Amino acid sequence: HTASVAHEIAERYGAVCVMKDHESAVSDGGERVYINKSGNSGMATGGSGDVLSGILGGIFAQSKRSTALPLELVSLGAYIHGRCGDIAAEALGEYSLMASDIIDAIPWILKK
């Protein structure tokens, strides 16, 4: 269901769409839809989407020399965001997770 909604919105607006859920879907309205299984319910907290936006902004700012398409860049950002949430939840638990904890995990994920 999430994948079909992401596809429909992306197609309608001519953009890449990320539908965050227990499995996030990323679509550009074309034939491919990426399903991201990283992340957890602790990320359903205020500011988490802002963290994703910041990660995406950083990826796009560094992509001038990249041949990757926007769909792949957004999918990478969604994966990094989810993995950061997973690392934070492993350390702190899902119930107390805050957006800043996701940010704090970015260096650990980029190091890997």
Side-chain angles (χ1 to χ4, degrees):
H1 182 314
T2 304
S4 63
V5 173
H7 182 270
E8 181 181 324
I9 290 172
E11 187 175 47
R12 179 181 298 158
Y13 293 103
V16 176
C17 177
V18 180
M19 293 295 294
K20 298 296 291 168
D21 201 357
H22 71 284
E23 292 183 351
S24 300
V26 182
S27 175
D28 63 358
E31 293 182 14
R32 295 177 297 157
V33 175
Y34 290 105
I35 303 298
N36 177 36
K37 296 186 179 200
S38 67
N40 59 77
S41 63
M43 297 173 71
T45 186
S48 180
D50 296 324
V51 175
L52 174 59
S53 295
I55 290 170
L56 292 173
I59 288 172
F60 274 89
Q62 296 179 49
S63 70
K64 291 182 179 182
R65 295 186 183 135
S66 173
T67 59
L69 299 172
L71 178 64
E72 283 77 23
L73 294 173
V74 173
S75 296
L76 174 63
Y79 176 75
I80 290 170
H81 180 253
R83 285 296 298 134
C84 288
D86 290 340
I87 292 292
E90 287 173 18
L92 304 168
E94 290 183 19
Y95 295 109
S96 63
L97 204 64
M98 298 186 330
S100 59
D101 300 325
I102 300 169
I103 294 168
D104 292 343
I106 292 173
W108 296 101
I109 295 304
L110 296 181
K111 185 177 178 181
K112 290 182 178 189

